[in-house]
Amino acid sequence: MNDENKLREQICLLAKSIYDRGLTGGSTGNISSRTSDGGLLVSPTGTSFGRLDPNKLSRFDSKGVFISGDIPTKEMPLHSAFYETRSTAGAVVHLHSCHSVALSLMPDVDEDDFLPHLTPYSIMKLGRVKLLPFYMPGDPEMGKAVRGLAGKRSAIMLANHGPVVAGKDIEAACNAIEELEDTARLAMMTRGMNARLLNASQVKSIVKKFDVEWDS
Ligand SMILES: [Zn+2]
């Protein structure tokens, strides 16, 4: 199996795992990865994460021209915005994950630092997560809003919609978005219970030790 075929299988396997654990349902969510020739593989529009076909993934060349496969996701501008602004982005994942969306509906969340500081791993894997406002599905303004962050964030949360996370490769992006959803779940579970958060000095130590992007 050549590298591209392995990548196609890996994308479908990770997407199915996400679907099987209920992290995005129905035909929601989309996923993309850089190919070794500088092109992109993207999940097609209207497909379910549980049933992606490796042979039907949308394929773009290194110039961003669509060359084969089914029609790509409508949320392509979101993916492109990450690749264009973050040179380290090798993959992008977007989910409609329940607890992240629930947390985005809460009136008192910090738009500049969406996740409360509950565990070190969310800080290490995601940095500071930016909460963006609600946009109509497919609105190209979403892509513009991500571009407006100038590549300084690897993870964003679209209010009333779902998270989008970029990683160095497909596995890193999936691991990071799962961390986001797990942390949002912890936040919702402990909401109103006076949970003991990591303190500012602990957060600072984590950021320093693991060289976390923690730009404000
Ligand atoms: Zn979406």
Side-chain angles (χ1 to χ4, degrees):
M1 199 185 284
N2 68 24
D3 282 355
E4 177 160 334
N5 285 343
K6 270 190 214 155
L7 179 61
R8 285 172 180 268
E9 295 282 348
Q10 193 188 15
I11 290 169
C12 298
L13 207 69
L14 287 167
K16 185 172 186 321
S17 165
I18 283 170
Y19 180 85
D20 287 347
R21 286 173 292 139
L23 298 173
T24 207
S27 62
T28 66
N30 33 75
I31 186 165
S32 67
S33 173
R34 280 259 180 244
T35 51
S36 56
D37 63 359
L40 275 182
L41 283 166
V42 183
S43 55
T45 185
T47 49
S48 166
F49 262 32
R51 295 180 291 280
L52 287 182
D53 181 338
N55 299 312
K56 290 186 175 175
L57 295 176
S58 318
R59 177 70 154 93
F60 291 80
D61 69 12
S62 60
K63 296 191 180 76
V65 178
F66 175 70
I67 51 171
S68 65
D70 287 348
I71 306 298
T73 168
K74 288 188 287 297
E75 290 176 313
M76 196 65 206
L78 267 178
H79 292 248
S80 305
F82 275 103
Y83 291 116
E84 284 165 25
T85 55
R86 286 180 67 83
S87 57
T88 54
V92 175
V93 187
H94 166 54
L95 305 178
H96 292 186
S97 43
C98 183
H99 299 87
S100 318
V101 177
L103 186 61
S104 83
L105 312 180
M106 298 297 114
D108 55 350
V109 288
D110 182 346
E111 287 176 15
D112 201 48
D113 194 7
F114 172 63
L115 295 175
H117 304 154
L118 298 170
T119 69
Y121 286 89
S122 68
I123 295 167
M124 288 153 59
K125 287 189 188 296
L126 298 153
R128 217 189 277 260
V129 179
K130 181 86 176 176
L131 175 66
L132 293 176
F134 171 73
Y135 294 95
M136 289 299 285
D139 184 346
E141 290 296 320
M142 278 189 271
K144 282 190 199 161
V146 172
R147 280 190 190 85
L149 301 172
K152 288 181 177 168
R153 304 296 181 100
S154 66
I156 59 133
M157 179 66 203
L158 298 164
N160 306 63
H161 182 168
V164 193
V165 175
K168 69 178 168 54
D169 56 32
I170 196 77
E171 196 158 357
C174 287
N175 287 343
I177 204 164
E178 290 187 24
E179 192 66 38
L180 196 161
E181 171 63 3
D182 281 346
T183 307
R185 183 152 55 109
L186 277 173
M188 292 306 294
M189 282 169 69
T190 56
R191 200 165 174 80
M193 298 167 81
N194 200 22
R196 196 171 57 245
L197 305 179
L198 297 172
N199 64 36
S201 140
Q202 287 166 327
V203 171
K204 202 172 163 190
S205 301
I206 293 162
V207 167
K208 193 168 174 218
K209 179 164 184 187
F210 297 97
D211 199 19
V212 177
E213 291 179 75
W214 198 249
D215 187 271
S216 58

